[in-house]
Amino acid sequence: MEKVTLSVKGMSCGHCVKSVEGSVGELNGVQHVEVNLSEAKVTVEFDQNKVSLESIKEAIDDQGYEVA
């Protein structure tokens, strides 16, 4: 299991949190997603054998936010 914290630009409200947590959380292999809105960070715990970090970043990008 791997755990990463990503800086994400563009999140500003509760809807942003739900959209990021929902899209990343749906990926096969993601165990836990936590968005810290005030710090603009997303922490993801995932099985690197099932999902890549690149796929997680793409899921965040697809919601309209930028992974720094």
Side-chain angles (χ1 to χ4, degrees):
M1 205 59 67
E2 189 170 335
K3 187 174 184 176
V4 295
T5 301
L6 305 169
S7 293
V8 179
K9 296 179 181 177
M11 299 184 301
S12 60
C13 64
H15 173 73
C16 301
V17 172
K18 287 185 181 189
S19 123
V20 170
E21 286 180 346
S23 64
V24 174
E26 288 177 358
L27 295 172
N28 183 35
V30 172
Q31 293 292 319
H32 181 73
V33 184
E34 186 176 330
V35 175
N36 184 321
L37 194 56
S38 62
E39 292 184 13
K41 300 225 183 275
V42 177
T43 302
V44 185
E45 192 173 333
F46 64 101
D47 182 343
Q48 61 271 29
N49 295 318
K50 293 183 179 176
V51 65
S52 68
L53 181 56
E54 196 56 42
S55 294
I56 292 167
K57 290 179 179 180
E58 284 176 17
I60 294 170
D61 284 341
D62 287 348
Q63 294 302 310
Y65 309 107
E66 181 183 343
V67 178

